Amino acid sequence: MTDDTFDSGFPLATSSWDAAEYGAIQRVVDSGRFTMGPLVAQFERDFASAFGAGFGVMVNSGSSANLLAIAAAVLDERVDLQAGDEVLVPAVSWATTYYPLQQYGLIPSFVDIDVDTLNLDLSLAEAAITPRTKAIFAVNLLGNPNDFAALTALAERHGLLLLEDNCESLGAKDDGRFAGTVGAMGTFSAFFSHHISTMEGGMILTDDEATAQMLVSLRAHGWTRGLPEKNAVHDKSGDEWDDLFRFVLPGYNVRPLEMSGAIGIEQIQKVPSLIAGRRENAVYWTERFADLDSVRIQREQGESSWFGFSLVLEGALAGRRKEVVQAFAAEGIESRPIVAGNFTKNPVMKYLDAKVPAELPAADKIHEDGLFVGNHHFPVHAGIDRVYDVVAKLS
C-alpha cells in the first residue's frame, strides 16, 4: 500500500498479509489438518526466538493469554500468589487485563497512569503497595513500553511478581529489552488490528520451562498430553493410552488453529519491517502535531511500536471529544477511545472485588478527553495530515 491508499479516509487498521499468508492458509487446507499441530509449534519457536525468549505458548487470543498467565502464576507452587492477594494494575487498559484476576480471587489494585506515556505511574504504584500486594500486572499501552529499569527495580525492591500485558506493543523495546520479555510472563495478541495478525491468536512468552509446561497443560484441558515424559507439572505413567486422558490442572480449551500457526510463521518474519514502517509514521506524526497546544500526544518511552496515535484534548478542545469524533467521522477518519478509558467507570466494576483510589485524575482525563486514530505499517502521511487538519480547524 502507498500514501494515497486513503484518499477517502483514514481507517483504524489494515491487513499486513500478502501472497505468503494466503499460500500458508492453502497449504493447511490441502493438508487436511486444522487442529493445533506442528505449524503452531513452529510458530511458537519462531516467535520466542524473534524476541529472545526461552519459550512461547500460543493460544486463541490475547485475552486467553492473559487468563493462562494468571492461572499459571496462581497454580504454581513456587509463586507466592493466591486468592485474596492484591495485584497492581493501571487504571487504563482493556477489560481482560482485569477479569482473570477476579476469576482467580485476586484483588486488582487500580493505580493511576502517567498522562503522557499512558502507562502505569510508578511513583503512585509504589505508594499503593501494601502487605497484601504480591504482583504487578503492567500494561504496555498503544505500543509504548514501560520504563523497564524502573519497573523491574520496583518489583525487586518489594519482592513482587512482574507480569506484562503486551497485547498492544509487540516489537517495542526499552532498556535493551523487548516488551513482553521483562516479566515472568508476557502476553501478546495477534488479532486483526494488531501489529501482526493470525486471524485470531495470542502468545505467552516466558524464560522458565516449568512455567511453559504449565501453560501447555492449561491451554488444553489441564491434561498431560503434549508434555514430555518427565515434566514439571505431572510425570506421565508410561502407558501411552492411559496418558492421553490424565487431567492434572484445572485447565481450559483455548487452543489455536493450525491455520493461525501457519499464518504466524509468515507474519513473524515481517515484524522488523512492520515495526519500522510504524515508527517512520510516528516521526511524521510527532513533528506534525508539535505546534498544537490543543492536544497532548503520547510521549515515547524507549522505542515504541506505535500501535496507534493517541490524542488527549486540552485547552480549546477540552470537553469537546464528541465534536472531534463527529468531525473525524465526516472526513472518514476512524477513531476509538484510548483502550477503555478509566476502566473503573465501567458498570462491570460491581462484579469485581477491587481497590480503587478516591481519585484517578489522569485516567479520568483520558476517559473524558482521550481518543486515538490508527497507525499502519506503510506510509500514511496523507492520513496524518487529514487528522491534523481536522484538529487544527476545530482548535
Side-chain angles (χ1 to χ4, degrees):
M1 295 185 183
T2 60
D3 205 20
D4 59 1
T5 300
F6 304 147
D7 286 343
S8 61
F10 190 41
L12 206 65
T14 48
S15 177
S16 56
W17 292 8
D18 57 27
E21 284 78 10
Y22 290 105
I25 291 172
Q26 189 58 52
R27 288 193 295 274
V28 173
V29 172
D30 292 343
S31 77
R33 166 136 195 185
F34 299 101
T35 56
M36 182 182 71
L39 295 178
V40 167
Q42 181 182 335
F43 177 46
E44 291 173 332
R45 293 190 297 270
D46 291 352
F47 193 99
S49 176
F51 298 110
F55 305 92
V57 178
M58 189 182 186
V59 290
N60 61 359
S61 71
S63 294
S64 294
N66 282 351
L67 174 62
L68 258 62
I70 297 303
V74 171
L75 295 170
D76 192 336
E77 295 179 354
R78 302 171 300 167
V79 178
D80 182 17
L81 186 67
Q82 56 193 317
D85 289 339
E86 296 173 6
V87 179
L88 300 180
V89 292
V92 176
S93 188
W94 191 246
T96 47
T97 300
Y98 313 113
Y99 293 168
L101 303 177
Q102 170 69 20
Q103 289 155 358
Y104 275 86
L106 300 168
I107 300 172
S109 178
F110 285 84
V111 177
D112 210 357
I113 61 160
D114 180 304
V115 75
D116 289 312
T117 66
L118 303 180
N119 286 330
L120 195 66
D121 185 317
L122 295 182
S123 62
L124 294 177
E126 185 151 35
I129 294 172
T130 74
R132 297 178 65 187
T133 306
K134 297 296 179 64
I136 306 172
F137 200 4
V139 179
N140 303 309
L141 209 76
L142 292 183
N144 208 26
N146 278 266
D147 180 338
F148 290 146
L151 179 63
T152 55
L154 172 64
E156 291 170 0
R157 197 157 54 243
H158 296 277
L160 305 178
L161 174 71
L162 176 59
L163 303 170
E164 287 179 87
D165 181 337
N166 195 52
C167 289
E168 293 182 351
S169 298
L170 181 147
K173 295 178 74 173
D174 182 63
D175 195 31
R177 293 176 284 184
F178 277 110
T181 68
V182 175
M185 287 175 273
T187 62
F188 297 76
S189 172
F191 180 63
F192 169 73
S193 61
H194 291 201
H195 295 81
I196 65 170
S197 171
T198 59
M199 295 190 290
E200 296 277 0
M203 187 75 72
I204 308 145
L205 291 184
T206 182
D207 285 330
D208 184 75
E209 185 173 14
T211 298
Q213 291 174 351
M214 289 189 71
L215 293 167
V216 166
S217 178
L218 288 165
R219 171 176 64 186
H221 314 293
W223 59 19
T224 58
R225 193 188 305 185
L227 296 177
E229 293 296 319
K230 297 292 184 181
N231 62 80
V233 180
H234 192 285
D235 288 342
K236 295 184 177 181
S237 68
D239 183 327
E240 184 177 355
W241 189 87
D242 192 46
D243 283 332
L244 286 175
F245 296 100
R246 176 165 285 105
F247 301 92
V248 295
L249 292 175
Y252 303 89
N253 181 10
V254 292
R255 292 175 294 194
L257 296 174
E258 186 74 339
M259 194 173 290
S260 292
I263 297 166
I265 292 168
E266 304 300 332
Q267 284 275 280
I268 198 66
Q269 298 178 56
K270 298 177 179 178
V271 165
S273 63
L274 297 177
I275 301 305
R278 287 173 174 268
R279 287 185 53 76
E280 192 282 328
N281 287 331
V283 171
Y284 187 75
W285 168 267
T286 53
E287 291 175 350
R288 195 75 172 91
F289 280 81
D291 66 338
L292 275 184
D293 58 9
S294 57
V295 294
R296 182 193 299 252
I297 62 174
Q298 191 175 26
R299 188 183 74 231
E300 183 178 23
Q301 168 68 39
E303 299 176 26
S304 174
S305 56
W306 293 98
F307 180 94
F309 296 130
S310 65
L311 305 101
V312 181
L313 308 179
E314 299 188 322
L317 290 182
R320 296 170 60 192
R321 185 172 66 176
K322 185 175 182 179
E323 184 181 349
V324 172
V325 170
Q326 291 173 340
F328 278 172
E331 290 295 322
I333 301 166
E334 293 184 346
S335 64
R336 295 289 187 274
I338 294 178
V339 198
N342 179 351
F343 193 80
T344 68
K345 290 184 174 293
N346 281 278
V348 73
M349 287 297 296
K350 68 181 181 181
Y351 298 106
L352 273 61
D353 181 11
K355 288 183 66 175
V356 180
E359 296 182 342
L360 292 165
D364 286 343
K365 178 64 176 175
I366 299 303
H367 198 81
E368 299 297 328
D369 283 320
L371 68 158
F372 81 95
V373 298
N375 187 16
H376 305 266
H377 56 283
F378 51 90
V380 291
H381 294 192
I384 291 170
D385 287 342
R386 187 185 294 261
V387 174
Y388 179 88
D389 289 345
V390 171
V391 173
K393 184 177 180 180
L394 289 174
S395 299

